[in-house]
């Protein structure tokens, strides 16, 4: 649309978003139920919710990897109808690196798929491997990297595409607590440099509070937004801040909202009529 002010548009908007999956021939499972909300440009919004509540499904709909069965997702003002690789990248819990490619070649992979100038690609690979702290490890193969280093490569691979929106589905979930916390600090630094909008799925209240401008608490399946909590804590969220009474108060509040959902019994698929 001509003359549209993109900055005025929410980066991501859910309008009455719904998703049911078919199970077998005669039943469906309702994963997401009627979510409406807006995520502003440059916000980092975490999704916290029980296992199986629909968090990955929500990200998949934003990424255009699966279609809603009701409502819509809009990205930068446009309805999502399929993948939008120029605007959105996604990082998963597993780094999914190609084992026969070195770290730099893995980062280059996404750029190669997109095509373009080879020199520009090399510049982007170097820039983002440095940004995730992997200078010196460019020529290592995935089997020669630790779990944290492999996830840094996956992060660099996504960052190199320079999209405005990054979706992160438990990106540090497989890492030990200390590495996870360090990568959280680094993600925030990267975010402040690259000014991305981020949707971040996690099971950790601590991690959500460490990173987020807003935390969405999702109900048990089907996912609804039970609570939408703005985190008014200064950044960066240092270890000292994370030990402060204000931080702990947020933790208690989020836990109280989440715990009932964790207790919810898992509902059975519903037979189609
Ligand atoms: N492709 C699919 N086909 C059928 N059902 C699916 C499919 N993908 C997800 N589901 C169902 O949708 C529900 C939500 O799944 P989803 O993976 O979105 O949950 P989640 O919140 O990401 O869980 P976790 O925290 O364990 O990763 C689950 O009941 C799951 O079984
Ligand atoms: Mg998931």
């Amino acid at each position: 649309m001509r003359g549209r002010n993109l900055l005025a548009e929410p980066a991501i908007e859910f309008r009455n978003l719904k998703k049911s999956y078919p199970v077998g021939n005669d039943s469906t499972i309702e994963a997401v139920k009627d979510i409406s909300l807006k995520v502003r440009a440059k916000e980092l919004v975490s999704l916290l919710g029980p296992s199986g509540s629909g968090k990955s499904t929500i990200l998949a709909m934003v990424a255009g990897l699966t279609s809603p069965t009701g409502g819509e997702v809009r990205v930068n003002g446009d309805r999502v109808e399929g993948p939008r690789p120029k605007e959105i990248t996604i990082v998963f819990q597993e780094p999914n690196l190609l084992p026969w490619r070195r770290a730099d070649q893995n980062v280059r992979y996404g750029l190669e798929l997109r095509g373009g100038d080879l020199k520009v690609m090399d510049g982007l690979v170097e820039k983002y491997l440095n940004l995730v702290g992997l200078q010196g490890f460019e020529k290592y193969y995935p089997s020669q990297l630790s779990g944290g280093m492999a996830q840094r490569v996956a992060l660099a691979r996504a960052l190199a595409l320079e999209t405005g929106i990054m979706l992160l589905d438990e990106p540090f979930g497989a890492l030990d607590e200390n590495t996870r916390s360090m990568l959280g600090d680094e993600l925030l630094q990267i975010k402040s440099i690259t000014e991305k909008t981020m949707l971040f799925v996690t099971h950790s209240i601590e991690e959500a509070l460490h990173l987020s401008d807003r935390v969405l608490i999702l109900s048990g399946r089907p996912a609804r937004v039970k609570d939408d909590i703005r985190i008014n804590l200064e950044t960066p969220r240092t270890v000292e801040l994370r030990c402060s009474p204000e931080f702990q108060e947020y933790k208690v509040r989020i836990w109280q909202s989440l715990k009932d959902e964790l207790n919810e019994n898992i509902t059975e698929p519903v037979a189609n009529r």
Side-chain angles (χ1 to χ4, degrees):
M1 199 191 303
R2 259 169 115 213
R4 195 171 71 191
N5 179 3
L6 276 182
L7 286 176
E9 306 275 1
I12 306 168
E13 182 174 4
F14 300 144
R15 293 188 182 169
N16 305 107
L17 188 64
K18 297 183 188 70
K19 177 74 179 179
S20 298
Y21 288 107
V23 185
N25 290 332
D26 53 4
S27 46
T28 53
I29 205 155
E30 198 179 13
V32 176
K33 183 177 188 165
D34 209 12
I35 294 186
S36 295
L37 64 92
K38 294 177 184 176
V39 176
R40 287 207 312 263
K42 302 183 202 172
E43 260 190 322
L44 194 161
V45 178
S46 282
L47 305 179
L48 260 178
S51 187
S53 63
K55 303 178 293 298
S56 296
T57 299
I58 293 171
L59 292 201
M61 287 191 280
V62 178
L65 302 176
T66 187
S67 309
T69 44
E72 61 180 9
V73 182
R74 300 181 81 83
V75 162
N76 299 323
D78 293 329
R79 186 185 167 105
V80 174
E81 306 274 10
R84 302 167 76 96
K86 289 190 180 144
E87 288 165 286
I88 302 175
T89 47
I90 185 157
V91 179
F92 298 99
Q93 183 169 4
E94 299 301 329
N96 301 318
L97 302 179
L98 298 172
W100 59 89
R101 285 187 161 229
R102 300 179 319 229
D104 56 348
Q105 294 168 331
N106 263 288
V107 176
R108 215 169 186 278
Y109 183 67
L111 294 163
E112 288 169 7
L113 290 180
R114 195 169 67 182
D117 185 280
L118 298 181
K119 276 237 155 56
V120 173
M121 281 185 209
D122 288 338
L124 289 168
V125 170
E126 190 185 343
K127 174 178 172 183
Y128 287 102
L129 275 172
N130 286 348
L131 197 61
V132 299
L134 280 182
Q135 51 279 56
F137 295 96
E138 297 87 347
K139 308 292 176 224
Y140 281 50
Y141 285 90
S143 62
Q144 300 170 310
L145 300 172
S146 70
M149 289 160 93
Q151 199 55 336
R152 284 170 202 259
V153 176
L155 212 49
R157 183 182 53 196
L159 288 166
L161 294 168
E162 300 199 315
T163 60
I165 297 176
M166 192 176 234
L167 309 175
L168 301 112
D169 196 349
E170 303 188 54
F172 310 141
L175 305 176
D176 69 87
E177 198 183 322
N178 298 336
T179 308
R180 191 171 182 166
S181 169
M182 265 180 57
L183 275 170
D185 284 337
E186 288 170 24
L187 183 74
L188 285 184
Q189 268 177 25
I190 290 168
K191 183 174 173 295
S192 73
I193 296 166
T194 59
E195 303 201 313
K196 288 188 195 305
T197 308
M198 294 186 177
L199 271 187
F200 189 100
V201 169
T202 178
H203 283 276
S204 162
I205 297 177
E206 177 87 23
E207 185 172 58
L209 278 172
H210 180 181
L211 303 179
S212 311
D213 301 307
R214 259 163 90 192
V215 176
L216 304 178
I217 316 284
L218 300 181
S219 67
R221 201 188 74 224
R224 285 169 292 103
V225 178
K226 180 182 182 190
D227 252 322
D228 181 349
I229 302 173
R230 184 155 292 282
I231 312 301
N232 291 314
L233 293 171
E234 65 192 52
T235 49
R237 310 230 164 110
T238 58
V239 178
E240 291 76 12
L241 180 86
R242 276 139 60 196
C243 293
S244 67
E246 303 98 283
F247 193 92
Q248 300 304 322
E249 274 167 33
Y250 275 114
K251 235 170 140 172
V252 172
R253 178 167 167 205
I254 290 174
W255 171 246
Q256 282 173 343
S257 176
L258 191 60
K259 77 173 192 299
D260 299 336
E261 304 308 318
L262 300 175
N263 287 334
E264 285 270 296
N265 46 355
I266 296 186
T267 46
E268 295 295 318
V270 181
N272 288 334
R273 267 175 256 161

